[in-house]
Amino acid sequence: MAKTKKQAKPAAQPAHGYEFFGPPGAFGISFGLPILLYVFTFACNDVSGCPAPSLFSPKTLSLETLKHEVGWPVDGIAGLVSWRVTGWILAYYLFSAILYRVLPGTEVEGLELPNGGRLKYKFNAFASTTFTLALCLAGTIAQGADFPVWTFISDNYLQLLTTSILISFALATFVYIRSFSVKPGNPDHRELAAGGHSGNLLYDWFIGRELNPRISIPLIGEIDIKEFMELRPGMLGWMLLNSAFIAKQYRTYGFVTDSIVFISVIQAIYILDSQLMEPAILTTIDITTDGFGHMLAFGDLVWVPFLYSTQTRYLSIYPRSLGWLGLSVMGSVLVAGYSIFRLSNSQKNVFRTDPNDPRVAHLKYLETKAGTRLLISGWWGTARHINYLGDWIQSWPYSLPTGLAGYTILTAGTGAEGAYKMADGREIVQGDAKGWGMVFTYFYIVYFAVLLIHRDRRDDEKCAKKYGDDWEKYKKAVRWRIVPGLY
């Protein structure tokens, strides 16, 4: 895409120290989180239970028994990956890139970069996703739950996970190596991220060395790698995984429960809303500050689709129903969280656009030496990131429908009381596993809280540098970070 011809400033920015506990933290996250996803996949499974029964008896646990219970591939480690699955995933990425090029979109100029330039973006993630979903809907209408896309996903889940992990590692390595071609004053406005050139190979590979890496693909054109990966293949993949698990539940039991539909619908709304508001991504810290490295590559392509669909994967095996009362409670929690999130952000945006608007003219604010006005009343007088509280509350209905999660899968003909009968004759009950499955299905709520706290800390550090003494005055006026009266 064409760039503005504004005079460029020096591209390199001074490094600002380590985050995530530096190289040890980068190593732990880069290699620990993939292992965690494998643990989730194997320990909560459709072979023996969630968790696998032998995990309750560690003293008598044997490796062979555990392998059998978790569905370890018969080919061993080689069975974790498949050339066929890899080919289809790469085709999926290519299809997404083609839709990015051929579908109409909005052309938007990004914020001014530290080097003085501006990049141009094309936004059509919403159109790309709805087009893909329309194709899948047509296929589902024609072939039902046996639509090949759904069966392929559920039958090859483990291989899809492995291939996605490998792609994220390869992509992070590619952009890291390519970042060394960034030269000061280049006409393409390429620059290094402020915190991405510490000199430590592992850390810079993880955090992202180049701020906005772009690549030109024959017949498709230029793609901003970071923006493309942020809202396209991973987010759509999340929806496709959910849909595949709905189809799997139907194939297994002959019905679909309200709980799995509820979670899938509210997550779909969240995804489509973010894509519909795609231009707003240009003001996020991911785009303006963070480089693109393994942290974002893995987060976008692996962590989001595979972790965030944990609840629907669970419910595809243990079909729990909520009823109208349960749905009403879940809906009320969702509306409460969404209201806090949307109303607070709306109030901030109106104030930034027109402080004299009648809706915000009565609000109190702190005038800073930097010329910025910081709200100290209204929503933003209750907590410095009150919107994070709303965002976190919205995550609760992702997990709550799973209840006291946990199940055990029994052989056919057991005749256990209250058991669900699977299509192959096996029976599924909660038994002693009841509650233990919450380790998997409620993990997202805990993780998201940690993520939001980390974001708040990063923002606090950034604002302290920007506003100096005024930031300390602001924190005295608005004491709480996220949860009024608690944190």
Side-chain angles (χ1 to χ4, degrees):
M1 295 180 186
K3 315 292 191 307
T4 59
K5 296 183 179 180
K6 193 169 183 176
Q7 184 64 37
K9 301 174 185 177
Q13 301 293 319
H16 57 48
Y18 287 138
E19 294 185 83
F20 300 99
F21 303 104
F27 178 86
I29 295 172
S30 298
F31 298 97
L33 293 188
I35 292 174
L36 180 64
L37 288 178
Y38 279 121
V39 169
F40 273 42
T41 301
F42 286 119
C44 186
N45 60 73
D46 60 358
V47 177
S48 62
C50 180
S54 290
L55 295 177
F56 292 110
S57 305
K59 291 183 178 180
T60 59
L61 180 64
S62 70
L63 183 58
E64 289 304 314
T65 299
L66 186 61
K67 282 184 177 180
H68 173 72
E69 289 186 351
V70 302
W72 183 256
V74 293
D75 296 334
I77 293 179
L80 298 177
V81 69
S82 159
W83 285 112
R84 174 171 169 266
V85 171
T86 300
W88 278 112
I89 287 189
L90 293 177
Y92 167 71
Y93 279 83
L94 177 61
F95 179 67
S96 183
I98 292 173
L99 292 182
Y100 168 76
R101 177 52 52 202
V102 302
L103 292 178
T106 303
E107 298 278 350
V108 177
E109 193 174 62
L111 301 179
E112 183 174 346
L113 300 166
N115 63 26
R118 292 178 185 268
L119 297 173
K120 288 188 177 180
Y121 296 84
K122 178 182 178 181
F123 293 133
N124 63 2
F126 181 81
S128 178
T129 293
T130 52
F131 180 84
T132 305
L133 293 177
L135 294 179
C136 291
L137 176 61
T140 304
I141 292 173
Q143 297 177 283
D146 293 316
F147 178 49
V149 171
W150 309 143
T151 56
F152 177 81
I153 290 175
S154 57
D155 292 345
N156 299 280
Y157 179 84
L158 181 59
Q159 291 74 25
L160 288 169
L161 172 61
T162 302
T163 302
S164 297
I165 291 172
L166 294 176
I167 289 175
S168 72
F169 274 78
L171 183 59
T173 303
F174 169 75
V175 295
Y176 174 78
I177 295 174
R178 190 169 178 269
S179 70
F180 287 93
S181 64
V182 175
K183 304 298 181 184
N186 66 85
D188 294 324
H189 302 309
R190 295 178 64 196
E191 64 175 298
L192 302 181
H197 51 104
S198 68
N200 183 279
L201 187 154
L202 174 62
Y203 180 80
D204 292 345
W205 170 82
F206 166 76
I207 206 73
R209 213 169 170 273
E210 186 171 353
L211 183 62
N212 295 297
R214 294 187 165 204
I215 186 173
S216 292
I217 302 176
L219 302 179
I220 292 178
E222 186 180 66
I223 288 180
D224 186 289
I225 297 176
K226 181 163 61 172
E227 198 282 327
F228 183 87
M229 298 300 171
E230 191 89 358
L231 287 177
R232 290 173 183 270
M235 296 290 266
L236 174 58
W238 179 9
M239 295 179 68
L240 294 178
L241 283 167
N242 283 345
S243 300
F245 292 134
I246 292 176
K248 179 178 179 178
Q249 187 186 77
Y250 185 81
R251 292 196 305 273
T252 303
Y253 297 103
F255 59 83
V256 173
T257 58
D258 52 10
S259 57
I260 196 171
V261 172
F262 175 80
I263 292 176
S264 298
V265 168
I266 64 173
Q267 290 183 344
I269 292 173
Y270 176 86
I271 295 166
L272 293 173
D273 177 68
S274 66
Q275 292 182 333
L276 188 61
M277 305 297 292
E278 190 176 9
I281 196 177
L282 296 181
T283 61
T284 64
I285 193 171
D286 285 357
I287 299 297
T288 63
T289 306
D290 292 337
F292 186 81
H294 185 258
M295 178 180 73
L296 289 180
F298 178 82
D300 294 340
L301 307 181
V302 186
W303 192 250
V304 166
F306 289 94
L307 178 73
Y308 292 14
S309 60
T310 296
Q311 294 80 15
T312 55
R313 186 169 76 90
Y314 170 87
L315 291 169
S316 72
I317 306 167
Y318 189 79
R320 185 170 184 270
S321 296
L322 296 174
W324 286 110
L325 179 59
L327 288 173
S328 299
V329 172
M330 294 300 106
S332 298
V333 174
L334 180 67
V335 170
Y338 179 81
S339 297
I340 294 173
F341 177 78
R342 186 58 66 194
L343 291 174
S344 59
N345 279 331
S346 176
Q347 186 179 76
K348 178 179 64 176
N349 291 335
V350 171
F351 183 79
R352 284 180 174 177
T353 304
D354 181 10
N356 297 316
D357 188 296
R359 290 172 293 177
V360 297
H362 64 285
L363 297 178
K364 298 179 181 179
Y365 58 85
L366 175 68
E367 188 87 42
T368 69
K369 298 181 184 68
T372 305
R373 296 175 176 180
L374 302 177
L375 286 171
I376 57 174
S377 68
W379 281 106
W380 299 92
T382 59
R384 302 199 287 272
H385 275 120
I386 189 65
N387 57 329
Y388 286 2
L389 174 61
D391 210 9
W392 184 51
I393 292 175
Q394 286 184 84
S395 73
W396 298 357
Y398 291 6
S399 299
L400 291 174
T402 64
L404 295 175
Y407 57 79
T408 300
I409 300 177
L410 308 174
T411 56
T414 306
E417 184 177 352
Y420 287 105
K421 291 188 177 181
M422 306 175 78
D424 58 7
R426 291 180 299 164
E427 299 176 0
I428 183 169
V429 297
Q430 287 205 285
D432 293 338
K434 185 175 183 179
W436 289 101
M438 295 172 68
V439 171
F440 310 103
T441 63
Y442 285 74
F443 176 82
Y444 176 77
I445 295 179
V446 178
Y447 153 74
F448 197 43
V450 173
L451 176 67
L452 293 175
I453 290 172
H454 178 258
R455 285 181 181 175
D456 168 76
R457 298 281 175 170
R458 292 183 73 189
D459 186 68
D460 183 74
E461 182 180 344
K462 178 182 176 182
C463 291
K465 292 178 180 179
K466 180 178 180 180
Y467 298 118
D469 293 341
D470 288 332
W471 187 246
E472 294 302 318
K473 294 178 183 177
Y474 169 71
K475 290 199 292 185
K476 289 180 180 179
V478 185
R479 293 179 53 203
W480 305 106
R481 292 175 176 268
I482 299 176
V483 185
L486 184 63
Y487 175 77

